[in-house]
Amino acid sequence: MKISNTLILLSILSFSLLWACEGPAGIPGQDGANGENGEEGYAFEYTLTFSAPDYGAVLELPSDFTMLDSDVMMVYLLWEITDDGTEIWRALPQSLYFTDGILSYNFDFTKYDARVFLDGTVDLDGLGADLTDNWIARIVVLPAQFVNARTKLDYTDYNQVKAYLNLPDTDRTTGSYPTRPAVSE
């Protein structure tokens, strides 16, 4: 008992002396070199055609890219290019309403890929090429700090997302990109 009391007393005394000791401030160190700005958002572009039997496409992320479990993915389709070259991007899902049913462009994702697909009540086998062929899709990976931030960013507006995340512009000069049908809101 006497040994344990002595050890406790020595521990308290040692801790008090070490904790209370303070010397003069040292010489300030040099500032480190400025690092490069990191990426804040990532965009990947794909061309796809929706064809039978599944009317979908799996868009794999590059093998050298790691998406975190906390990140979120958005998919946008290039809906048209106006006469002055303005790109009109629409966030998925998008729905078109016809007299014989509804057609939806939709997606799901993992941290490795996105599956973009057609769904709805229309006969998918009867769709024209303007609804299925030569789509340009853009995947944007949004880091969790932006998704969880209190921002008034409209994630369905590609141009807002592009500006906020400082994503690069594309350089499309073609006027031959097909005009897609109007989307019913």
Side-chain angles (χ1 to χ4, degrees):
M1 185 78 159
K2 194 173 190 176
I3 294 176
S4 65
N5 286 342
T6 305
L7 286 175
I8 291 172
L9 183 61
L10 283 174
S11 297
I12 292 172
L13 183 60
S14 299
F15 181 73
S16 298
L17 289 174
L18 291 174
W19 190 261
C21 294
E22 188 174 316
I27 300 170
Q30 295 179 349
D31 287 339
N34 289 335
E36 293 182 32
N37 288 336
E39 297 283 332
E40 295 185 358
Y42 306 90
F44 305 101
E45 194 166 288
Y46 305 83
T47 301
L48 64 131
T49 293
F50 300 100
S51 57
D54 57 355
Y55 291 96
V58 174
L59 310 176
E60 293 184 10
L61 294 174
S63 60
D64 63 344
F65 177 78
T66 301
M67 182 174 165
L68 303 177
D69 290 333
S70 58
D71 293 344
V72 174
M73 185 184 292
M74 293 290 299
V75 177
Y76 301 87
L77 288 180
L78 181 58
W79 210 261
E80 71 177 288
I81 299 175
T82 63
D83 291 338
D84 67 357
T86 302
E87 297 178 354
I88 308 297
W89 292 92
R90 294 193 181 263
L92 296 185
Q94 289 289 316
S95 294
L96 301 174
Y97 299 91
F98 301 101
T99 55
D100 62 336
I102 300 170
L103 172 63
S104 294
Y105 295 85
N106 209 340
F107 78 103
D108 54 33
F109 71 92
T110 70
K111 66 183 196 175
Y112 307 105
D113 58 41
R115 184 175 65 97
V116 182
F117 57 93
L118 299 181
D119 195 14
T121 60
V122 296
D123 176 16
L124 298 179
D125 290 328
L127 296 175
D130 62 327
L131 297 170
T132 60
D133 294 359
N134 301 317
W135 285 91
I136 296 175
R138 189 164 291 162
I139 291 177
V140 176
V141 176
L142 303 163
Q145 72 260 23
F146 295 110
V147 177
N148 295 331
R150 293 180 184 233
T151 177
K152 300 219 185 252
L153 182 64
D154 178 3
Y155 293 102
T156 64
D157 183 337
Y158 175 74
N159 291 317
Q160 275 190 33
V161 172
K162 181 177 86 168
Y164 189 76
L165 297 177
N166 199 26
L167 297 174
D169 285 323
T170 56
D171 221 1
R172 282 187 226 300
T173 55
T174 178
S176 63
Y177 191 75
T179 299
R180 307 302 180 168
V183 173
S184 304
E185 304 283 337

